[in-house]
Amino acid sequence: MDGLYRELMERIPDDIIADGIAVGEYWIVVKASCGCGAASVYDEAHETGRYEKHEGRSLRDLAELIDSPVPVEQGIAMAAINTYYNQFERLAELEDAGILTVDRTTNSFVEYGIQATGKNVAFVGHFCGLESFMKDAAEVAVLEKRPQPGDYPAEMCDEIIPGRDFVFMTGATLANNTAAHLLELCRSTSNTRGIFVGPTTTLSEILMEHGAVELAGTVITDPDAAFEAALDQDHMSIFATGQKVRAIKTDKS
């Protein structure tokens, strides 16, 4: 467990209990009294349904499953972390403290496409929706663990990322313990803007403390519907259960 992930885990109060865990074909959802969080499923061969054996544990305990050799349990760990951090009440407290600003109205993909005009961009993994908005970027490099034609192997991140204007990362980089190193590479040059994008992005100031400038993610506003969407094996319906937000680091934070 790397230091960035441990910080995320240790700032979660130890008395918040998970009262529901759903594992579907595409999504993992954890519910608790504070709200609901989601993570993606990256294991093609896994059981689906309610994971009652882990229900009743604290979110902090579930977060320790990131070191499990079982990919589904790693996903449960990320969903538990997002259950705590991805809440409007918590984001409002950070906004009041001047740490970040919250934008609920801007289409982040459109905005990033505008900002990237004439710029050099790197994606860590494919963002099929976001990539289509990058037609005016000077150069777009994609780093992939399973490279497709035109991609760079993920192992080339040390060569590709430094000096890029924008680097877009998914929440999966937290689950696979690569986020801290990617942010370190972003910090190696002053012009690189590291941005986490996607519904499983952890909306935490801790990522900003480590160098991220924006977090574009989702706050689930209908936990019961999200829970059922995961169990229903529907890839798209979960998107209707939450609100997309951009959390933007303030200049003084």
Side-chain angles (χ1 to χ4, degrees):
M1 184 186 300
D2 69 27
L4 171 58
Y5 189 94
R6 183 167 293 282
E7 285 183 58
L8 288 167
M9 180 189 73
E10 290 181 346
R11 292 195 203 180
I12 300 175
D14 60 8
D15 58 349
I16 303 176
I17 303 303
D19 51 35
I21 301 173
V23 175
E25 184 176 354
Y26 304 103
W27 301 101
I28 297 171
V29 169
V30 173
K31 292 196 300 180
S33 59
C34 65
C36 184
S40 298
V41 175
Y42 300 101
D43 183 14
E44 294 180 359
H46 66 277
E47 295 181 10
T48 60
R50 289 193 65 162
Y51 262 56
E52 295 180 298
K53 67 178 181 179
H54 288 316
E55 292 178 356
R57 297 177 63 179
S58 72
L59 296 183
R60 187 187 288 187
D61 281 346
L62 291 178
E64 292 192 13
L65 291 173
I66 199 67
D67 288 330
S68 168
V70 181
V72 165
E73 293 191 330
Q74 295 172 9
I76 290 173
M78 284 311 309
I81 280 183
N82 290 344
T83 299
Y84 174 68
Y85 287 104
N86 291 19
Q87 305 303 327
F88 278 126
E89 182 178 356
R90 193 173 187 282
L91 289 172
E93 292 174 357
L94 296 173
E95 193 166 29
D96 289 344
I99 295 171
L100 53 79
T101 58
V102 177
D103 182 352
R104 306 190 193 190
T105 60
T106 303
N107 183 314
S108 60
F109 283 12
V110 172
E111 178 61 25
Y112 296 145
I114 294 171
Q115 291 183 19
T117 298
K119 305 295 186 180
N120 294 321
V121 176
F123 291 104
V124 181
H126 276 281
F127 294 76
C128 296
L130 181 55
E131 289 173 51
S132 66
F133 288 90
M134 294 291 161
K135 61 182 183 300
D136 293 326
E139 182 183 358
V140 177
V142 178
L143 292 152
E144 260 289 349
K145 286 192 171 182
R146 299 176 182 175
Q148 301 174 23
D151 295 347
Y152 293 94
E155 293 76 15
M156 291 185 65
C157 63
D158 289 35
E159 301 171 48
I160 299 297
I161 288 178
R164 295 276 163 173
D165 297 294
F166 292 90
V167 177
F168 295 98
M169 301 162 279
T170 69
T173 60
L174 284 166
N176 64 25
N177 283 325
T178 60
H181 181 59
L182 293 171
L183 287 172
E184 181 182 5
L185 293 174
C186 291
R187 295 195 305 270
S188 66
T189 53
S190 60
N191 66 302
T192 301
R193 297 175 61 81
I195 300 173
F196 287 88
V197 181
T200 66
T201 292
T202 303
L203 300 172
S204 171
E205 74 283 7
I206 296 172
L207 297 180
M208 293 178 172
E209 292 168 7
H210 283 259
V213 297
E214 287 195 31
L215 312 168
T218 298
V219 174
I220 293 176
T221 54
D222 191 337
D224 291 337
F227 199 85
E228 291 304 317
L231 294 176
D232 287 344
Q233 320 300 338
D234 186 334
H235 185 249
M236 298 303 296
S237 61
I238 197 170
F239 292 103
T241 69
Q243 169 70 54
K244 293 180 181 179
V245 299
R246 290 172 66 208
I248 305 165
K249 185 177 181 180
T250 60
D251 292 337
K252 66 179 182 179
S253 64

